[in-house]
Amino acid sequence: MARVMLQGVTKRFGDTIAVNNVDLQVADGEFMVLLGPSGCGKSTTMRLIAGLEDPDEGEIYIGNRLVNEIEPSKRNIAMVFQSYALYPHMTVYKNIAFPLKMRGVPKDEIDRKVKEAADMLNIIHLLKRMPRQLSGGEMQRVALARAIVREPMVFLLDEPLSNLDAKLRVKMRFELRKLLHDELKVTTVYVTHDQVEALTMADRIAVMKKGRVLQVDVADGLFNRPRDIFVAGFIGSPPMNFIEGVVNEHDGALVIDAKGLELPMPTHFQEALKSYLNSEITVGVRPQDIKVFQGKGARGILGYVLGVERLGTESYLHIISGDCTIVIRVDPESKFKEGERIWWVPRETRLHFFDTKTGAVIAKT
Amino acid sequence: MRLSFRLIMAIVGYIVLTVVAIIYLMPFIRSITASFMTWEQAQRMPPEWIPDPFTTRPFEQILGLKYFPVWLINSVIISASIVTAQTILASMAGFAFARVKFPGREMLFSLLLATMMMPGIVTLMPTYALFSKVGLIDNLLGIIIPGLCGASSIFLMRQYYLSMPQDLFDAARVDGCTFLKIFRHIAFPLARPALGALAIYQFLGSWNSFLGPLAILKSIEKFTLPVGLLFAFNRAWYVEYSPIIAGSTLAAAPTIIIFIIFNKYLIKGIQLTAGKR
Ligand SMILES: Nc1ncnc2c1ncn2[C@@H]1O[C@H](COP(=O)(O)OP(=O)(O)O)[C@@H](O)[C@H]1O
Ligand SMILES: [Mg+2]
């Protein structure tokens, strides 16, 4: 068992900065997920930890050991690849035994450990097969067995579930977490672009964008206290609504002037926004944090119904208000007509404010 | 309308191909049939195609020749050494060029490719001059050594290793392999189809090679089959050419057999070198 620490790690491929000055600490036994869109540098970060790439700058520690100059095979890590990377010319047994054989483990011990790992993953009956005779889910299990058989200090998994069908993927999420985190209690770095996977499996999630780590937090923190507009928009589905505007003063109170609509600012934010007077900010509010009123005597900001998206247990109302389109979660029972006038009110405590230029959250003072 | 035009084009195409194939095969077929004829029948004009009487005398004559087995053995020694060395060395060098990062790799590889552009005949005289200084003239090693490795073989192997997924090599590194172990346990065993193609090419090339052995080998007991047969022909050891024809047929037999059995591998090899980069 060991922690993993990255300090100021940068990796360039020609002109591309794949990983940009990343600091990351994974605690002993922690299940850390690297989450971000394709091409943001997740795999490269993982490959740096594995030693398959050399950093241009920065330091990487596994345990208390600086591993920059240490071969992948000596870092005491195991890796599961998206493609599984099973050796096609070896049986399942030999695939699982391979890392032990390369380390000169005695034959009878190899045999015992291979069977133990195979048992843990329910693949004893597959040991004599060749990889090409396996289904995707079975290959996945073999790849996992090959990784756990060595009892590594750190587990690295790069989108291990993305080649499985949807149903199996959901099942494997829980199984994987149970195996790696609850049973083996091994430090794990897990890469995915799927936020549901990240939110359901992780102890903490590191959200990445363009080679940078924007926020490292527990799921609740990312969802409720995003520190960056990208994180706010990336986590949550359907995504947070963003309304861009300029901070103005109106009758002594701060409001936001946004493309044809005026958004009053909550009192507890007046102070913090003062310094943004006349500059551009973005207001974020999630679909579930908006109330809608219909008919006579309604209050709030005027909008027109564009349509309703019904997803069975929940429904999403799409409206246009000023020049902004806004998505609002509504009661599936409620009825809306296209073009109907409605009034909407965001929950004041659930508003997020971001500096439009930098994308950074504006903290309450 | 369009379909029938296509059909006609296809038929015309096949007719042309068949005619060309027959023209190409003619000498082959001729030498096979002629090796079973009496010399008297073989030289008749217009040529006859069916041996009558059927005889194996030309084979008996050539096999009875004192030097024929020596030449055969020389050819086997040369081909076997070259095939063995090429498969091992080219697959190692190809692996290094494909999957091991080292400084100057791209430049070295370009240099290697440049040597492929050079026709072999250009280097024959310099090689000869060099070999005469170090005593490799009239020595089987003088044929074997230049054939131990070649740019095109390295290129073929490199292409094959590049076509394998990178993840396999990365997995092996994480699993505890040095580059040498990756080569031994992963790359080499997986390269079998390419190695097969390479071995066959090298066998055909070395078995049939003529100009190099002709230049370098001087004494009768050092000759390879093709050189020996020409020698026997030139010196008019026989009044009749039938034994020479039979000898050529024998010399060509491995080539033909290999071609029939392994042509899948040969095509694979062509696809490999033709594909990307
Ligand atoms: N070996 C490489 N050579 C050149 N560019 C690379 C290489 N590996 C990754 N990159 C680039 O680095 C960036 C990050 O890639 P990657 O870490 O694979 O992203 P992710 O796994 O998040 O999708 C991408 O722009 C990618 O094109
Ligand atoms: Mg990736």
Side-chain angles (χ1 to χ4, degrees), chain B residues 2 6 13 18 21 54 72 90 92 103 114 170-171 180-181 185 189 197 207 209 218 226 231 238 244-245 253-254 259:
Chain B
R2 250 182 87 195
R6 269 210 209 154
T18 310
F54 183 88
L72 184 69
M92 290 180 106
D170 288 341
L180 215 59
K181 277 185 175 171
H185 294 285
W207 185 260
S209 104
K218 302 294 179 198
F231 182 81
Y238 301 100
I244 306 290
I245 298 172
F259 197 82

Side-chain angles (χ1 to χ4, degrees), chain A residues 268-289:
Chain A
H268 65 278
F269 252 101
Q270 295 276 340
E271 202 53 41
L273 289 173
K274 244 181 201 142
S275 57
Y276 282 86
L277 195 61
N278 294 326
S279 38
E280 291 176 4
I281 69 164
T282 302
V283 182
V285 59
R286 294 195 185 278
Q288 53 271 47
D289 295 330

